[in-house]
Amino acid sequence: MADFIGSVWWMIVSLGVLVTFHEFGHYWVARRCGVKVLRFSVGFGKPLWSRRGRNGTEFAIAALPLGGYVKMLDEREAEVPAGERMAAFNNKNVWQRLAIVAAGPAANLLLCIALLWAMFVVGNRDYSATVGQAGGMAASAGFASGDRILDVDGRAVATWAEAGMALTTAAMDRSDARVRVRDRQDNERTRVLPLSTLPAGFDEHGVAAQAGLAWQFQVQPARLDSVLEGSAASGVLQPGDLILAIDGQAVASAGQVAPLVQQLGRRGGPGMIEVERSGQRLALEITPRQASNGKGPWLLGTGFASGRPAYDALRQYGPLAALPAALRETGKLAGDSLGMMRRMLTGHASVKNISGPITIARVANASAERGMDWFLYFLALLSLSLCIINLLPIPVLDGGHLLYYLIELVKGSPLSERVMAAGQYVGLALLAGLMGLAFYNDILGLVLR
């Protein structure tokens, strides 16, 4: 229940901030162009709160927080008194109308840059792109525990999420990835990950795992948290010991211990377990015991420390250096978003990547729980997405209106009301289809969680 309430709350906060900035862009430029604004609404439906400004604009917060609008004086919508006709939107020249419509997406773009700037000043904490375990095609390609990924196909990466996105892009393009790493011995090497061999219909959200890569922060170290009194480990092992090897076989994670203990138990007799204790490497003799009456699994009687490790990657800059960093990050995110849209249109990426308000709510809540830096990043990405989506040349959206005005510039006269009305119907149908797909993916995601 707490997750549900938190998700709803943070979705309202997120959309409220983004919609307010978007509509303020329209409002601010419209006022500078001499257009009378009748209403500035955050949300749709019946107003929950409203007040009228000195310039006659009604500012309102409405009941349905999934958008907003700026209602301008327009002769196409209602009769306009003769004295106010020059303040009507439709009577402004095409350049002014272009500027007013483009101002909404532009405001979201500027907000994205500002939010990323704030994130870099605060400091963005994350996990490094360090390999914890390598198996399957990754092991065959030469990856090993401790490899720190530096770039993928020439694209520099600082975190596991960036590395994962770069690998996913290569997989969707059905190409092999050239990955430059720095190994445990501090040597730089280039490894080729044959992602083109992944089966058709692979899970686009788990490319690294399917390639056999587990990130270091995902791998639980085999460090003991407890030793059961009277067990096989009692008097041999101690809490805090890090298991390095069992019977000569190296141990890199807690998940490897149980199978190796079973092998040692079935072999019979004592075996050697190597641990790191207080900076020293010790080799100790141990004999696993079965759970009861000579049946069941072989056990040592130990427990492992749980929980994720501390973040080991920090992207933080001073106020001046944070601005170019924010611009670079915005460009990178825009490229990734546009690339994903292109791949969905060409069939190289699944339309399951289209998400709706349910997913937005869940991610907003998860980001807020991780800290201010992550919530700022989430807001920035959402603001950029709102900018890009609104620029799509679909009637009803800002991009559709921009298309109309660009055509007007070329042909020297506005499109007919009939053509624009037909475009509105087409745009509404496309928008309804996209929203339906987004809700379907949201619900499917909830069912398959």
Side-chain angles (χ1 to χ4, degrees):
M1 187 63 180
D3 278 347
F4 173 77
I5 294 173
S7 296
V8 172
W9 166 250
W10 288 113
M11 181 188 72
I12 292 172
V13 170
S14 301
L15 294 182
V17 170
L18 302 186
V19 168
T20 299
F21 270 84
H22 180 92
E23 299 305 334
F24 182 78
H26 291 310
Y27 169 82
W28 190 83
V29 176
R31 293 293 298 149
R32 297 303 173 279
C33 291
V35 175
K36 182 176 181 179
V37 179
L38 303 177
R39 174 180 283 183
F40 182 120
S41 178
V42 176
F44 297 110
K46 184 178 180 180
L48 300 175
W49 172 90
S50 68
R51 75 170 183 86
R52 195 169 296 278
R54 286 180 296 179
N55 58 15
T57 302
E58 179 191 6
F59 296 90
I61 297 177
L64 190 61
L66 295 179
Y69 62 93
V70 169
K71 182 177 176 61
M72 304 176 203
L73 191 67
D74 196 316
E75 289 181 316
R76 296 167 299 178
E77 297 180 2
E79 188 175 344
V80 176
E84 293 187 331
R85 284 177 184 164
M86 291 309 297
F89 175 80
N90 63 292
N91 287 325
K92 298 301 175 181
N93 66 55
V94 67
W95 289 107
Q96 289 175 311
R97 283 177 277 140
L98 272 167
I100 292 168
V101 172
N108 282 127
L109 179 61
L110 291 174
L111 178 61
C112 171
I113 296 170
L115 289 167
L116 289 173
W117 174 86
M119 179 198 74
F120 282 128
V121 170
V122 171
N124 178 222
R125 304 157 301 142
D126 205 343
Y127 295 106
S128 64
T130 303
V131 177
Q133 286 182 346
M137 70 168 66
S140 299
F143 286 89
S145 175
D147 282 353
R148 167 74 171 87
I149 296 179
L150 304 176
D151 65 60
V152 179
D153 291 329
R155 173 176 170 171
V157 298
T159 66
W160 70 278
E162 290 181 329
M165 184 64 197
L167 294 175
T168 300
T169 299
M172 288 188 295
D173 292 339
R174 310 303 295 171
S175 63
D176 298 337
R178 292 183 60 83
V179 184
R180 189 165 62 92
V181 305
R182 178 174 287 116
D183 62 21
R184 286 188 182 277
Q185 288 71 45
D186 208 31
N187 299 313
E188 289 191 12
R189 305 186 184 280
T190 298
R191 315 201 193 284
V192 179
L193 200 58
L195 297 175
S196 61
T197 62
L198 286 175
F202 64 89
D203 180 8
E204 294 171 5
H205 298 289
V207 169
Q210 293 170 82
L213 289 174
W215 304 112
Q216 182 172 266
F217 77 92
Q218 296 172 326
V219 178
Q220 182 184 359
R223 188 174 297 280
L224 300 183
D225 181 61
S226 61
V227 176
L228 184 65
E229 188 71 27
S231 66
S234 181
V236 180
L237 302 177
Q238 298 177 8
D241 285 352
L242 178 66
I243 298 178
L244 303 175
I246 295 178
D247 211 26
Q249 298 188 56
V251 171
S253 69
Q256 295 176 289
V257 173
L260 293 176
V261 170
Q262 301 313 303
Q263 291 180 21
L264 179 59
R266 285 193 294 268
R267 189 172 59 80
M272 299 302 295
I273 184 167
E274 296 179 49
V275 301
E276 181 184 283
R277 180 185 298 167
S278 301
Q280 292 185 310
R281 188 177 183 118
L282 306 175
L284 307 169
E285 188 176 276
I286 197 167
T287 304
R289 299 175 188 170
Q290 281 188 293
S292 61
N293 301 323
K295 298 180 180 180
W298 296 88
L299 303 173
L300 295 181
T302 57
F304 296 100
S306 60
R308 281 190 172 186
Y311 292 112
D312 63 347
L314 176 66
R315 296 187 294 171
Q316 188 172 29
Y317 305 93
L320 292 178
L323 181 57
L327 291 171
R328 288 194 300 271
E329 189 73 12
T330 300
K332 186 188 301 182
L333 291 175
D336 287 340
S337 298
L338 292 171
M340 181 63 75
M341 291 172 65
R342 175 179 59 80
R343 291 180 179 90
M344 284 192 286
L345 287 172
T346 57
H348 288 90
S350 171
V351 292
K352 292 179 181 178
N353 291 292
I354 298 175
S355 302
I358 296 175
T359 298
I360 291 173
R362 287 167 51 196
V363 177
N365 186 48
S367 301
E369 288 179 346
R370 293 182 72 174
M372 181 185 292
D373 54 330
W374 279 95
F375 189 62
L376 289 170
Y377 182 82
F378 165 75
L379 280 180
L381 181 57
L382 197 59
S383 189
L384 181 63
S385 299
L386 190 60
C387 168
I388 292 172
I389 290 170
N390 267 282
L391 287 175
L392 293 176
I394 299 175
V396 179
L397 298 178
D398 291 334
H401 294 293
L402 291 174
L403 178 62
Y404 287 158
Y405 301 145
L406 289 173
I407 293 173
E408 181 179 340
L409 276 173
V410 172
K411 72 188 286 282
S413 61
L415 289 170
S416 68
E417 294 288 336
R418 183 178 177 183
V419 170
M420 285 195 286
Q424 294 294 94
Y425 285 120
V426 172
L428 284 170
L430 287 172
L431 201 57
L434 285 172
M435 290 177 64
L437 179 60
F439 272 108
Y440 172 79
N441 288 338
D442 278 357
I443 294 169
L444 192 65
L446 284 175
V447 171
L448 298 178
R449 282 179 70 184

